């Protein structure tokens, strides 16, 4: 995936300013930076979540398999099946665990004979199967916060996306649950391209292959995580990483 000269506006306010960068396949790309710097806006633009905001509009391109994802002719429903998203707060449906996964599958007219296998595979990929296999008809809201977030990841994986977007997926979780989600992300990159927004710089250093530092809507620095954290090229990156501003 290549982001080319992307600018995102809310009315007259430019929230993302002429950003260009790749998102490498089967790698984890982390977006870091202060609150309000545009990282979540950029992430939500990739699968057109910002289309739901009346004042949002954009310029530039997001090229994916030779297609510009910002083309108004794109089928957004199909796009969000291909590029799944998990949000900051776990948001399972107030329904049984299994319904959380089968609802979307039925919406996309998945064959009934395939649904059970897809559900089991997705829960296993999300490292949740062993914890819930005997309680699939229990309410999803009976799960712990960490389990709910892994269920939301499983729900996205059930649709067999190619790309997974994670917007601060562990910010509402305790350290043990966060560690489980981090381990899961590292495993999933074998099969998926992953982009994650995080305020936790230690998390970005642990799990990502590439890191993007954004400030005031601008991309300040992008590079391999090991290089960016140990030898940043830009002064503002170094100042942010060393806590001189936040």
């Amino acid at each position: 995936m290549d982001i080319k000269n992307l600018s995102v506006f809310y009315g007259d306010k430019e929230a993302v300013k002429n950003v260009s960068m790749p998102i490498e396949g089967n790698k984890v790309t982390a977006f870091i930076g202060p609150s309000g710097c545009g990282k979540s806006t950029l992430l939500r633009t990739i699968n057109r979540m910002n289309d739901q905001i009346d004042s949002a509009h954009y310029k530039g391109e997001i090229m994916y398999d030779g297609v510009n994802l910002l083309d108004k002719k794109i089928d957004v429903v199909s796009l969000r099946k291909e590029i799944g998203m998990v949000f900051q707060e776990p948001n399972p449906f107030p329904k049984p665990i299994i319904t959380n996964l089968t609802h979307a599958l039925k919406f996309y007219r998945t064959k009934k004979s395939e649904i059970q296998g897809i559900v089991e595979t997705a829960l296993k990929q999300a490292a949740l199967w062993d914890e819930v296999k005997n309680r699939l008809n229990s309410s999803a809201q009976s799960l712990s916060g960490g389990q709910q977030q892994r269920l939301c990841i499983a729900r996205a994986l059930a649709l067999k996306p190619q790309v997974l977007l994670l917007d601060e997926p562990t910010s509402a979780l305790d350290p043990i649950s966060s560690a489980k989600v981090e381990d899961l992300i590292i495993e999933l990159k074998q099969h998926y391209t992953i982009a994650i927004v995080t305020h936790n710089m230690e998390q970005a250093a642990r799990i990502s292959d590439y890191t993007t530092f954004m400030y005031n809507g601008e991309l300040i620095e992008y590079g391999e995580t090991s290089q960016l954290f140990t030898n940043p090229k830009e002064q503002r990156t170094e100042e942010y990483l060393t806590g001189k501003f936040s």
Side-chain angles (χ1 to χ4, degrees), residues 20-181:
S20 295
M21 59 171 288
I23 295 180
E24 301 290 349
N26 295 105
K27 303 291 183 182
V28 178
T29 299
F31 291 82
I32 64 172
S35 296
C37 70
K39 54 190 185 296
S40 289
T41 293
L42 192 155
L43 197 75
R44 290 166 181 256
T45 303
I46 293 174
N47 76 340
R48 302 277 293 274
M49 290 299 296
N50 283 330
D51 286 19
Q52 300 175 17
I53 301 172
D54 291 339
S55 64
H57 55 104
Y58 30 77
K59 297 190 298 185
E61 297 178 326
I62 301 176
M63 299 304 298
Y64 174 73
D65 283 349
V67 175
N68 178 15
L69 300 182
L70 301 183
D71 190 325
K72 295 298 184 183
K73 298 177 182 178
I74 291 286
D75 181 348
V76 175
V77 174
S78 297
L79 168 62
R80 292 176 187 154
K81 180 177 183 292
E82 183 85 2
I83 302 177
M85 189 159 191
V86 176
F87 299 95
Q88 180 175 356
E89 295 284 343
N91 61 342
F93 303 138
K95 295 178 181 294
I97 294 167
I98 192 167
T99 306
N100 271 266
L101 285 88
T102 59
H103 177 80
L105 292 173
K106 291 175 180 178
F107 176 82
Y108 286 101
R109 301 183 185 279
T110 305
K111 293 180 180 179
K112 289 184 179 180
S113 59
E114 298 176 353
I115 287 179
Q116 184 58 44
I118 293 172
V119 166
E120 182 174 340
T121 297
L123 288 170
K124 285 180 176 177
Q125 285 183 309
L128 193 58
W129 174 251
D130 288 340
E131 298 171 40
V132 303
K133 62 183 179 183
N134 295 320
R135 49 189 292 207
L136 293 176
N137 290 312
S138 298
S139 170
Q141 295 183 323
S142 69
L143 300 174
S144 70
Q147 289 174 323
Q148 287 185 22
Q149 191 66 303
R150 282 183 283 146
L151 177 62
C152 292
I153 293 172
R155 188 171 64 192
L157 296 179
L159 296 177
K160 299 181 180 179
Q162 297 299 309
V163 180
L164 194 59
L165 308 177
L166 306 173
D167 192 359
E168 298 189 55
T170 64
S171 64
L173 305 182
D174 63 81
I176 293 175
S177 297
S178 295
K180 288 183 179 180
V181 172

Side-chain angles (χ1 to χ4, degrees), residues 9-14 54-57:
F9 301 83
Y10 297 119
D12 294 330
K13 179 183 178 182
E14 189 174 14
D54 291 339
S55 64
H57 55 104

